[in-house]
Amino acid sequence: MSAPINRLYPEILAMIFANLRTPTRSNDVLVSAMLVCHRWYSVALDTVSLWTEVDVTYQAKFNPKQLLARSKAAPIHLRLSIDKEERDMSMLHWIVRHGHRIQQLALCARTSYGTFSVSLPMVDMPRLRCLAAGRRPP
């Protein structure tokens, strides 16, 4: 006879995994839960809503390309950090490439927004509901 936890439907397990994620914990606890067994790993990986918070900042712990792939075509919340002027085009590429999916966009910079201030309004973001921009202390 299998353990009661193994009899949970994948949808219930996905709901539990969703509650493991908080703004302060990010995906750390979720990734730990994925290591419990192959079934948990598969359920978490197949639940696109778990991978829609994409952090492309100096404090990102997870590969953003991996998160974007796991989130498939779901709407995303994208956080970008602009540290140097030469990174502007690289960061702008993330926005252009995934603009159709971006629901929330948060930009943080140490310096002025340079290229962003000119180029961002030209990006098509039909799902955008929240745009935040701020400065990080040097």
Side-chain angles (χ1 to χ4, degrees):
M1 183 176 208
S2 69
I5 190 75
N6 292 329
R7 288 183 251 153
L8 287 176
Y9 291 108
E11 296 83 4
I12 302 295
L13 207 48
M15 290 170 63
I16 293 169
F17 291 155
N19 284 308
L20 293 177
R21 266 189 27 201
T22 66
T24 56
R25 287 191 297 203
S26 184
N27 291 326
D28 294 342
V29 178
L30 175 60
V31 171
S32 296
M34 289 174 68
L35 299 175
V36 168
C37 66
H38 179 71
R39 180 170 180 259
W40 285 24
Y41 180 86
S42 296
V43 169
L45 207 55
D46 290 339
T47 307
V48 297
S49 61
L50 297 175
W51 311 108
T52 57
E53 304 262 340
V54 182
D55 193 357
V56 187
T57 65
Y58 64 97
Q59 59 192 18
K61 294 181 180 179
F62 298 95
N63 182 341
K65 290 179 183 176
Q66 198 174 45
L67 293 174
L68 288 164
R70 290 177 180 177
S71 67
K72 299 183 180 161
I76 58 174
H77 299 175
L78 184 60
R79 280 184 298 283
L80 296 174
S81 179
I82 307 148
D83 292 330
K84 299 178 182 134
E85 193 71 29
E86 64 266 15
R87 276 188 71 186
D88 276 6
M89 292 312 291
S90 168
M91 293 293 129
L92 190 59
H93 172 75
W94 286 93
I95 297 173
V96 170
R97 187 156 181 225
H98 299 282
H100 65 284
R101 302 174 54 199
I102 298 173
Q103 196 169 48
Q104 291 184 17
L105 177 60
L107 303 171
C108 184
R110 281 193 179 165
T111 60
S112 69
Y113 284 98
T115 307
F116 277 97
S117 59
V118 175
S119 305
L120 194 58
M122 293 186 280
V123 178
D124 185 27
M125 293 184 274
R127 293 185 175 181
L128 185 66
R129 298 293 174 261
C130 179
L131 173 63
R135 286 191 68 155
R136 202 164 31 113

